[in-house]
């Protein structure tokens, strides 16, 4: 038997209904904040991620699905979407459009990491990018929008972690101090940290190895090295959040796992997810567009939600019930089946879900109606076709009423007294 590839899985009913609910909630919030959807290719040139995410990050060096195409070019299944959005922004000259470019995306990403709770090799992200302003007001509004999505889904018990990683100028000073400190402590850390200490010291702060955390906590704080513009930017972000009564915790070691972040970085965690408890994260990436070939600056900020883990959180807050069928029609014979095909079409136009039985054996059809958790059943035979009246049964109460076609349609209309 052929099975799904390791690290991938099928999303089946009734869980798929929760996925639809999550995505619908996100779309409602995005619309309220005037974001439009962008859909980028799953395949991109490998250089896009090497130049944006960073060649020394785990994503690029260990996790990307990269292959050589038949023409010799190197292609990669997208491991994240910010780089793709910025590529599209530059390629299609969206900087020529009026105002901020506020874009959101929903779709699959790919990383070959060890599968674990809520993490897969094909995983899904809901994300957004606001491109065209370096204002701290935009940072606060993006964070507010993220929280609005969580509230829309009934998630309240989460924690917002906040930091600033400064700009290239002030971060360079911090990295030198960090590098000197790591010369002393890195030999006692994990192999990855020993390598990062040489090639990209900032990545050490992103280490998840439990034994290394006390050492990381003892390292210098980047907040002590911010220059005045970055310090002022971070102060104003915090003030805007406080004015919105959004609670946060400053986390000086929060650098995220991507090289393109500047200034504001943030993450939201949820306790129900265990040790790897991050639901989403994001940050500002001023300068990324120029690194990708833009001739004009395009400062921006964005985030991505791990939809797989968000769905897990939603599922834990509510029991998943199979979708309820509105009406099951049991036709008795071929003539009744043809009649019910037309009748079902009329009823579905009301926005009512309908299943038509094809077994012709009443007992089996009624058993199936119960298994499908139908709210109503309608038994149709030759007499019903001639009289044009139908016996509608309420499966919960057992009540049965006889209705003509017009009365049936009125009873089943969602705005009426029935369904």
């Amino acid at each position: 038997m052929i099975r799904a590839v390791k690290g991938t899985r099928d999303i089946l009913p009734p869980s798929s209904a929760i996925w639809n609910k999550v995505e619908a909630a996100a779309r409602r919030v995005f619309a309220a904040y005037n974001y439009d959807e962008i859909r980028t290719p799953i395949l991109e040139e490998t250089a896009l991620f090497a130049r944006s995410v960073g060649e020394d990050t785990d994503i690029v060096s260990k996790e990307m699905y990269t292959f050589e195409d038949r023409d010799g070019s190197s292609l990669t299944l997208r491991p994240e979407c910010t780089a793709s959005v910025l590529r599209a922004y530059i390629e299609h000259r969206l900087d020529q459009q009026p105002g901020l470019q506020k874009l959101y995306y929903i779709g699959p990403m790919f990383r070959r990491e060890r599968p674990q709770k809520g993490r897969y090799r094909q995983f899904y992200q809901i994300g957004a990018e606001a491109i065209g302003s370096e204002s701290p007001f935009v940072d606060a509004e993006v964070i507010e929008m993220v929280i609005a999505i969580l509230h829309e889904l009934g998630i309240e018990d989460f924690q917002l972690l906040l930091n600033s990683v400064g700009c290239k100028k002030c971060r360079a000073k911090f990295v030198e101090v960090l590098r000197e400190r790591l010369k002393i402590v890195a030999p006692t850390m994990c192999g990855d940290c020993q390598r990062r200490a040489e090639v990209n010291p900032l990545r050490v702060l992103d280490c998840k190895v439990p034994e290394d955390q006390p050492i990381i906590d003892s390292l210098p704080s980047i907040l002590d090295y911010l220059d005045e513009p970055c310090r002022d930017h971070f102060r104003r972000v915090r003030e805007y959040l406080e004015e919105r009564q959004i609670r946060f915790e400053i986390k000086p070691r929060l650098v995220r796992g991507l090289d393109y972040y500047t200034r504001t970085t943030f993450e939201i965690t949820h306790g129900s997810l265990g040790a790897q408890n991050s639901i989403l994260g994001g940050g500002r990436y001023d300068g990324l567009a120029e690194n990708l070939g833009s001739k004009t600056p395009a400062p921006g900020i964005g985030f991505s939600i791990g939809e797989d883990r968000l769905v897990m959180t939603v599922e834990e807050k509510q029991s998943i019930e199979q979708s309820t069928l509105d009406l099951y029609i049991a036709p008795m014979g071929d003539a009744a089946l043809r009649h019910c095909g037309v009748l079902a079409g009329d009823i579905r136009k009301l926005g009512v879900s309908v299943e038509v039985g094809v077994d012709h054996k009443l007992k089996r059809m009624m058993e199936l109606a119960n298994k499908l958790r139908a709210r109503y059943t309608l038994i149709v035979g030759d007499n019903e076709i001639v009289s044009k009246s139908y016996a509608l049964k309420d499966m919960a109460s057992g009540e049965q009423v006889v209705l003509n076609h017009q009365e049936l349609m009125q009873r089943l209309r969602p705005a009426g007294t029935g369904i």
Side-chain angles (χ1 to χ4, degrees):
M1 179 174 63
I2 299 175
R3 299 181 180 274
V5 175
K6 183 177 181 180
T8 71
R9 85 281 193 216
D10 302 302
I11 300 171
L12 306 175
S15 181
S16 54
I18 301 295
W19 284 74
N20 289 333
K21 175 182 177 179
V22 167
E23 292 173 7
R27 291 180 190 277
R28 287 195 299 271
V29 174
F30 287 138
Y33 283 79
N34 195 33
Y35 279 69
D36 293 314
E37 185 175 14
I38 183 172
R39 302 190 184 194
T40 64
I42 290 175
L43 280 174
E44 297 275 10
E45 290 188 20
T46 302
L48 174 66
F49 303 111
R51 291 171 60 182
S52 60
V53 176
E55 292 188 10
D56 295 322
T57 61
D58 285 351
I59 294 174
V60 173
S61 64
K62 297 180 179 181
E63 299 171 359
M64 292 200 318
Y65 283 96
T66 299
F67 62 94
E68 185 176 297
D69 201 1
R70 292 182 180 181
D71 63 359
S73 60
S74 180
L75 302 179
T76 294
L77 293 173
R78 63 184 184 195
E80 59 97 49
C81 208
T82 297
S84 295
V85 173
L86 261 291
R87 190 264 312 144
Y89 175 91
I90 297 166
E91 181 176 343
H92 301 287
R93 295 304 309 269
L94 297 186
D95 60 311
Q96 301 298 307
Q97 302 297 319
L100 276 176
Q101 290 303 297
K102 301 165 77 172
L103 306 167
Y104 77 87
Y105 57 85
I106 299 175
M109 313 293 158
F110 304 85
R111 297 181 193 174
R112 198 185 190 285
E113 55 184 348
R114 182 175 60 86
Q116 52 187 298
K117 182 180 179 181
R119 293 188 183 274
Y120 301 90
R121 291 175 176 176
Q122 178 179 320
F123 59 100
Y124 294 81
Q125 287 186 346
I126 299 172
E129 316 293 344
I131 309 170
S133 173
E134 59 183 12
S135 169
F137 180 90
V138 178
D139 299 31
E141 186 176 80
V142 165
I143 294 173
E144 179 188 52
M145 181 171 67
V146 167
I147 292 174
I149 293 174
L150 299 182
H151 286 167
E152 184 81 2
L153 292 168
I155 300 174
E156 302 292 342
D157 47 344
F158 56 82
Q159 186 175 26
L160 169 63
L161 308 178
L162 189 68
N163 191 30
S164 174
V165 294
C167 62
K168 288 185 177 180
K169 181 180 178 181
C170 60
R171 188 165 61 237
K173 297 178 181 178
F174 170 71
V175 168
E176 287 305 311
V177 173
L178 183 61
R179 191 187 302 275
E180 291 302 313
R181 175 62 178 164
L182 286 173
K183 287 180 179 179
I184 301 172
V185 300
T188 63
M189 302 179 76
C190 69
D192 281 339
C193 281
Q194 293 179 35
R195 176 181 59 81
R196 292 167 182 159
E198 294 291 332
V199 298
N200 195 338
L202 205 62
R203 293 276 69 77
V204 173
L205 303 180
D206 199 45
C207 175
K208 299 297 189 293
V209 176
E211 292 78 10
D212 288 344
Q213 298 313 303
I215 299 175
I216 292 172
D217 289 340
S218 70
L219 294 173
S221 169
I222 194 169
L223 296 180
D224 295 331
Y225 293 85
L226 298 181
D227 60 19
E228 187 55 36
C230 290
R231 190 178 298 114
D232 180 66
H233 186 279
F234 192 42
R235 175 186 59 79
R236 292 171 65 193
V237 171
R238 299 195 306 271
E239 290 175 352
Y240 285 132
L241 293 176
E242 289 165 354
E243 289 169 359
R244 291 165 167 79
Q245 297 184 332
I246 296 174
R247 292 180 297 175
F248 58 86
E249 176 186 344
I250 297 177
K251 201 79 169 176
R253 315 301 175 193
L254 179 63
V255 296
R256 306 288 299 155
L258 308 172
D259 278 355
Y260 54 59
Y261 283 125
T262 59
R263 293 188 170 175
T264 306
T265 58
F266 62 92
E267 189 170 277
I268 289 182
T269 60
H270 191 276
S272 69
L273 295 173
Q276 298 293 325
N277 61 354
S278 175
I279 296 178
L280 64 91
R284 178 162 284 281
Y285 43 80
D286 302 347
L288 176 57
E290 293 92 312
N291 289 343
L292 295 178
S294 176
K295 297 180 180 179
T296 57
I301 182 171
F303 68 87
S304 63
I305 301 173
E307 188 176 359
D308 308 76
R309 298 169 70 76
L310 181 59
V311 168
M312 286 176 56
T313 303
V314 174
E315 287 176 340
E316 290 178 3
K317 294 189 68 65
Q318 64 182 77
S319 59
I320 304 177
E321 297 183 355
Q322 186 174 359
S323 299
T324 300
L325 177 67
D326 290 327
L327 175 66
Y328 185 92
I329 302 178
M332 303 300 295
D334 289 335
L337 181 62
R338 290 195 296 270
H339 179 85
C340 291
V342 177
L343 178 63
D346 292 339
I347 296 173
R348 287 173 180 140
K349 292 175 182 177
L350 302 175
V352 174
S353 58
V354 182
E355 178 81 9
V356 180
V358 294
D359 193 284
H360 293 336
K361 295 182 178 179
L362 183 59
K363 182 179 179 181
R364 290 184 182 177
M365 287 191 288
M366 295 306 292
E367 288 175 350
L368 181 56
N370 278 314
K371 289 179 180 178
L372 294 175
R373 302 174 68 241
R375 297 177 182 176
Y376 292 89
T377 59
L378 199 67
I379 301 174
V380 180
D382 293 339
N383 292 337
E384 285 76 17
I385 295 174
V386 173
S387 65
K388 295 184 179 180
S389 61
Y390 309 94
L392 182 69
K393 182 177 180 180
D394 187 317
M395 297 296 282
S397 67
E399 177 190 6
Q400 184 168 302
V401 293
V402 178
L403 305 168
N404 61 33
H405 185 276
Q406 183 178 353
E407 291 169 338
L408 176 66
M409 300 296 282
Q410 184 61 38
R411 181 68 177 266
L412 296 178
R413 192 180 303 277
T417 57
I419 297 174

